[in-house]
Amino acid sequence: MAITSAMCTSFKKELLEAKHNFLLSGGDTFKIALYTNVATLGAATTAYSATNEVANGNGYTTGGATLTRVDPAASGTSAFTDFADVTWSTSTITARGALIYNSSQGNRAVAVIDFGADKSSAGGNFTVTFPAADPATAIVRIE
């Protein structure tokens, strides 16, 4: 079992099919779900699944949290979008990675994040910090 950071291949194809809308106003709803170290997620992931997701309770709800989008932008020859950091407050969570998915469009997978090791909170905040919304580091970018 492994979690590998990747932009999901199905997402790349679906962009060309106009299945995802990242606009802040009127766009789709994107979520982030947390997964344990026994999950298998990567470029081939096509949709959200509760299999091996962090257990419901202790500050975490199955399906994860709704993300706040940053309007798409362009700089030079790159286009990008990003999300605001997300926090599960007063939580007890151990997660190895996460899946960003589009809940407005049938829970289609967008990107997988490998935390590199198990990350935990014990009755405190569990926060996923996204990189800066710029062409070099944004979580979703086309270069």
Side-chain angles (χ1 to χ4, degrees), residues 93-108:
I93 294 171
T94 298
R96 171 57 193 234
L99 174 68
I100 297 171
Y101 66 98
N102 186 336
S103 66
S104 294
Q105 300 296 326
N107 296 333
R108 297 172 187 271

Side-chain angles (χ1 to χ4, degrees), residues 73-134:
S75 178
T77 60
S78 298
F80 57 92
T81 191
D82 216 321
F83 302 98
D85 297 347
V86 62
T87 299
W88 286 268
S89 302
T90 318
S91 64
T92 299
I93 294 171
T94 298
R96 171 57 193 234
L99 174 68
I100 297 171
Y101 66 98
N102 186 336
S103 66
S104 294
Q105 300 296 326
N107 296 333
R108 297 172 187 271
V110 173
V112 174
I113 303 167
D114 176 8
F115 297 154
D118 281 352
K119 303 295 181 186
S120 298
S121 63
N125 290 342
F126 187 100
T127 301
V128 175
T129 304
F130 286 98
D134 65 46

Side-chain angles (χ1 to χ4, degrees), residues 32-33 48 53-57 59-65 88:
I32 185 168
Y48 161 78
E53 186 176 3
V54 167
N56 191 41
Y60 184 82
T61 303
T62 301
W88 286 268

